[in-house]
PDB file of all heavy atoms in Angstrom:
ATOM      1  N   ASN A 112     -63.573 -60.736 113.190  1.00  0.00           N
ATOM      2  CA  ASN A 112     -62.191 -60.310 113.426  1.00  0.00           C
ATOM      3  C   ASN A 112     -61.978 -59.953 114.891  1.00  0.00           C
ATOM      4  O   ASN A 112     -60.978 -60.343 115.502  1.00  0.00           O
ATOM      5  CB  ASN A 112     -61.847 -59.121 112.528  1.00  0.00           C
ATOM      6  CG  ASN A 112     -60.383 -58.751 112.609  1.00  0.00           C
ATOM      7  OD1 ASN A 112     -59.548 -59.599 112.852  1.00  0.00           O
ATOM      8  ND2 ASN A 112     -60.094 -57.482 112.398  1.00  0.00           N
ATOM      9  N   HIS A 113     -62.918 -59.224 115.454  1.00  0.00           N
ATOM     10  CA  HIS A 113     -62.802 -58.817 116.855  1.00  0.00           C
ATOM     11  C   HIS A 113     -62.864 -60.025 117.784  1.00  0.00           C
ATOM     12  O   HIS A 113     -62.103 -60.114 118.752  1.00  0.00           O
ATOM     13  CB  HIS A 113     -63.918 -57.827 117.195  1.00  0.00           C
ATOM     14  CG  HIS A 113     -63.827 -57.270 118.570  1.00  0.00           C
ATOM     15  ND1 HIS A 113     -62.802 -56.444 118.985  1.00  0.00           N
ATOM     16  CD2 HIS A 113     -64.631 -57.443 119.653  1.00  0.00           C
ATOM     17  CE1 HIS A 113     -62.985 -56.126 120.242  1.00  0.00           C
ATOM     18  NE2 HIS A 113     -64.095 -56.724 120.683  1.00  0.00           N
ATOM     19  N   SER A 114     -63.729 -60.974 117.500  1.00  0.00           N
ATOM     20  CA  SER A 114     -63.826 -62.165 118.353  1.00  0.00           C
ATOM     21  C   SER A 114     -62.578 -63.030 118.226  1.00  0.00           C
ATOM     22  O   SER A 114     -62.141 -63.636 119.199  1.00  0.00           O
ATOM     23  CB  SER A 114     -65.077 -62.974 118.007  1.00  0.00           C
ATOM     24  OG  SER A 114     -64.977 -63.507 116.703  1.00  0.00           O
ATOM     25  N   GLN A 115     -61.976 -63.083 117.051  1.00  0.00           N
ATOM     26  CA  GLN A 115     -60.746 -63.858 116.870  1.00  0.00           C
ATOM     27  C   GLN A 115     -59.617 -63.257 117.705  1.00  0.00           C
ATOM     28  O   GLN A 115     -58.855 -63.988 118.339  1.00  0.00           O
ATOM     29  CB  GLN A 115     -60.359 -63.889 115.395  1.00  0.00           C
ATOM     30  CG  GLN A 115     -59.148 -64.758 115.101  1.00  0.00           C
ATOM     31  CD  GLN A 115     -58.844 -64.808 113.608  1.00  0.00           C
ATOM     32  OE1 GLN A 115     -59.455 -64.104 112.807  1.00  0.00           O
ATOM     33  NE2 GLN A 115     -57.894 -65.633 113.245  1.00  0.00           N
ATOM     34  N   GLU A 116     -59.501 -61.942 117.733  1.00  0.00           N
ATOM     35  CA  GLU A 116     -58.493 -61.286 118.564  1.00  0.00           C
ATOM     36  C   GLU A 116     -58.736 -61.563 120.046  1.00  0.00           C
ATOM     37  O   GLU A 116     -57.798 -61.808 120.809  1.00  0.00           O
ATOM     38  CB  GLU A 116     -58.484 -59.781 118.306  1.00  0.00           C
ATOM     39  CG  GLU A 116     -57.960 -59.399 116.943  1.00  0.00           C
ATOM     40  CD  GLU A 116     -58.116 -57.916 116.657  1.00  0.00           C
ATOM     41  OE1 GLU A 116     -58.584 -57.174 117.551  1.00  0.00           O
ATOM     42  OE2 GLU A 116     -57.778 -57.497 115.537  1.00  0.00           O
ATOM     43  N   SER A 117     -59.995 -61.544 120.455  1.00  0.00           N
ATOM     44  CA  SER A 117     -60.328 -61.816 121.855  1.00  0.00           C
ATOM     45  C   SER A 117     -59.981 -63.250 122.231  1.00  0.00           C
ATOM     46  O   SER A 117     -59.468 -63.506 123.325  1.00  0.00           O
ATOM     47  CB  SER A 117     -61.816 -61.574 122.102  1.00  0.00           C
ATOM     48  OG  SER A 117     -62.140 -60.227 121.873  1.00  0.00           O
ATOM     49  N   ILE A 118     -60.241 -64.187 121.337  1.00  0.00           N
ATOM     50  CA  ILE A 118     -59.914 -65.589 121.609  1.00  0.00           C
ATOM     51  C   ILE A 118     -58.407 -65.775 121.706  1.00  0.00           C
ATOM     52  O   ILE A 118     -57.917 -66.532 122.550  1.00  0.00           O
ATOM     53  CB  ILE A 118     -60.532 -66.503 120.532  1.00  0.00           C
ATOM     54  CG1 ILE A 118     -62.046 -66.554 120.729  1.00  0.00           C
ATOM     55  CG2 ILE A 118     -59.943 -67.896 120.568  1.00  0.00           C
ATOM     56  CD1 ILE A 118     -62.796 -67.283 119.639  1.00  0.00           C
ATOM     57  N   GLU A 119     -57.635 -65.096 120.861  1.00  0.00           N
ATOM     58  CA  GLU A 119     -56.177 -65.191 120.928  1.00  0.00           C
ATOM     59  C   GLU A 119     -55.654 -64.650 122.261  1.00  0.00           C
ATOM     60  O   GLU A 119     -54.771 -65.245 122.880  1.00  0.00           O
ATOM     61  CB  GLU A 119     -55.541 -64.438 119.766  1.00  0.00           C
ATOM     62  CG  GLU A 119     -55.684 -65.139 118.431  1.00  0.00           C
ATOM     63  CD  GLU A 119     -55.148 -64.310 117.281  1.00  0.00           C
ATOM     64  OE1 GLU A 119     -54.549 -63.240 117.517  1.00  0.00           O
ATOM     65  OE2 GLU A 119     -55.328 -64.747 116.130  1.00  0.00           O
ATOM     66  N   GLN A 120     -56.200 -63.537 122.712  1.00  0.00           N
ATOM     67  CA  GLN A 120     -55.787 -62.986 124.006  1.00  0.00           C
ATOM     68  C   GLN A 120     -56.156 -63.939 125.135  1.00  0.00           C
ATOM     69  O   GLN A 120     -55.365 -64.170 126.049  1.00  0.00           O
ATOM     70  CB  GLN A 120     -56.441 -61.627 124.241  1.00  0.00           C
ATOM     71  CG  GLN A 120     -55.902 -60.529 123.365  1.00  0.00           C
ATOM     72  CD  GLN A 120     -56.656 -59.225 123.553  1.00  0.00           C
ATOM     73  OE1 GLN A 120     -57.669 -59.166 124.238  1.00  0.00           O
ATOM     74  NE2 GLN A 120     -56.151 -58.164 122.935  1.00  0.00           N
ATOM     75  N   PHE A 121     -57.351 -64.499 125.072  1.00  0.00           N
ATOM     76  CA  PHE A 121     -57.796 -65.445 126.086  1.00  0.00           C
ATOM     77  C   PHE A 121     -56.901 -66.684 126.102  1.00  0.00           C
ATOM     78  O   PHE A 121     -56.539 -67.187 127.166  1.00  0.00           O
ATOM     79  CB  PHE A 121     -59.245 -65.843 125.816  1.00  0.00           C
ATOM     80  CG  PHE A 121     -59.777 -66.853 126.786  1.00  0.00           C
ATOM     81  CD1 PHE A 121     -60.076 -66.485 128.088  1.00  0.00           C
ATOM     82  CD2 PHE A 121     -59.965 -68.167 126.401  1.00  0.00           C
ATOM     83  CE1 PHE A 121     -60.565 -67.410 128.980  1.00  0.00           C
ATOM     84  CE2 PHE A 121     -60.452 -69.097 127.290  1.00  0.00           C
ATOM     85  CZ  PHE A 121     -60.761 -68.720 128.589  1.00  0.00           C
ATOM     86  N   THR A 122     -56.509 -67.162 124.926  1.00  0.00           N
ATOM     87  CA  THR A 122     -55.639 -68.332 124.836  1.00  0.00           C
ATOM     88  C   THR A 122     -54.276 -68.036 125.446  1.00  0.00           C
ATOM     89  O   THR A 122     -53.724 -68.871 126.174  1.00  0.00           O
ATOM     90  CB  THR A 122     -55.481 -68.766 123.370  1.00  0.00           C
ATOM     91  OG1 THR A 122     -56.771 -69.061 122.841  1.00  0.00           O
ATOM     92  CG2 THR A 122     -54.603 -69.988 123.244  1.00  0.00           C
ATOM     93  N   ASN A 123     -53.729 -66.859 125.175  1.00  0.00           N
ATOM     94  CA  ASN A 123     -52.433 -66.496 125.758  1.00  0.00           C
ATOM     95  C   ASN A 123     -52.504 -66.453 127.279  1.00  0.00           C
ATOM     96  O   ASN A 123     -51.608 -66.958 127.969  1.00  0.00           O
ATOM     97  CB  ASN A 123     -51.958 -65.148 125.209  1.00  0.00           C
ATOM     98  CG  ASN A 123     -51.554 -65.234 123.766  1.00  0.00           C
ATOM     99  OD1 ASN A 123     -51.214 -66.297 123.268  1.00  0.00           O
ATOM    100  ND2 ASN A 123     -51.593 -64.117 123.078  1.00  0.00           N
ATOM    101  N   VAL A 124     -53.544 -65.865 127.809  1.00  0.00           N
ATOM    102  CA  VAL A 124     -53.714 -65.800 129.265  1.00  0.00           C
ATOM    103  C   VAL A 124     -53.887 -67.202 129.828  1.00  0.00           C
ATOM    104  O   VAL A 124     -53.290 -67.560 130.850  1.00  0.00           O
ATOM    105  CB  VAL A 124     -54.924 -64.902 129.632  1.00  0.00           C
ATOM    106  CG1 VAL A 124     -55.289 -65.043 131.094  1.00  0.00           C
ATOM    107  CG2 VAL A 124     -54.618 -63.449 129.302  1.00  0.00           C
ATOM    108  N   ASN A 125     -54.660 -68.030 129.147  1.00  0.00           N
ATOM    109  CA  ASN A 125     -54.909 -69.388 129.610  1.00  0.00           C
ATOM    110  C   ASN A 125     -53.628 -70.212 129.616  1.00  0.00           C
ATOM    111  O   ASN A 125     -53.377 -70.979 130.555  1.00  0.00           O
ATOM    112  CB  ASN A 125     -55.964 -70.062 128.719  1.00  0.00           C
ATOM    113  CG  ASN A 125     -56.463 -71.355 129.295  1.00  0.00           C
ATOM    114  OD1 ASN A 125     -56.330 -71.606 130.477  1.00  0.00           O
ATOM    115  ND2 ASN A 125     -57.040 -72.179 128.444  1.00  0.00           N
ATOM    116  N   VAL A 126     -52.796 -70.071 128.584  1.00  0.00           N
ATOM    117  CA  VAL A 126     -51.534 -70.815 128.523  1.00  0.00           C
ATOM    118  C   VAL A 126     -50.611 -70.380 129.656  1.00  0.00           C
ATOM    119  O   VAL A 126     -49.978 -71.221 130.319  1.00  0.00           O
ATOM    120  CB  VAL A 126     -50.861 -70.618 127.143  1.00  0.00           C
ATOM    121  CG1 VAL A 126     -49.425 -71.093 127.154  1.00  0.00           C
ATOM    122  CG2 VAL A 126     -51.651 -71.349 126.073  1.00  0.00           C
ATOM    123  N   ASN A 127     -50.540 -69.087 129.915  1.00  0.00           N
ATOM    124  CA  ASN A 127     -49.696 -68.599 131.005  1.00  0.00           C
ATOM    125  C   ASN A 127     -50.177 -69.116 132.352  1.00  0.00           C
ATOM    126  O   ASN A 127     -49.382 -69.548 133.197  1.00  0.00           O
ATOM    127  CB  ASN A 127     -49.662 -67.070 131.021  1.00  0.00           C
ATOM    128  CG  ASN A 127     -48.894 -66.502 129.855  1.00  0.00           C
ATOM    129  OD1 ASN A 127     -48.039 -67.158 129.281  1.00  0.00           O
ATOM    130  ND2 ASN A 127     -49.211 -65.278 129.485  1.00  0.00           N
ATOM    131  N   GLN A 128     -51.475 -69.095 132.570  1.00  0.00           N
ATOM    132  CA  GLN A 128     -52.016 -69.587 133.835  1.00  0.00           C
ATOM    133  C   GLN A 128     -51.799 -71.092 133.973  1.00  0.00           C
ATOM    134  O   GLN A 128     -51.472 -71.573 135.061  1.00  0.00           O
ATOM    135  CB  GLN A 128     -53.505 -69.262 133.936  1.00  0.00           C
ATOM    136  CG  GLN A 128     -53.798 -67.808 134.154  1.00  0.00           C
ATOM    137  CD  GLN A 128     -55.288 -67.501 134.176  1.00  0.00           C
ATOM    138  OE1 GLN A 128     -56.119 -68.345 133.837  1.00  0.00           O
ATOM    139  NE2 GLN A 128     -55.625 -66.292 134.577  1.00  0.00           N
TER     140      GLN A 128
END
Side-chain angles (χ1 to χ4, degrees):
N112 187 29
H113 184 66
S114 66
Q115 184 177 7
E116 291 173 3
S117 297
I118 288 173
E119 287 175 7
Q120 289 175 353
F121 178 73
T122 301
N123 290 337
V124 168
N125 191 20
V126 167
N127 290 336
Q128 288 177 349

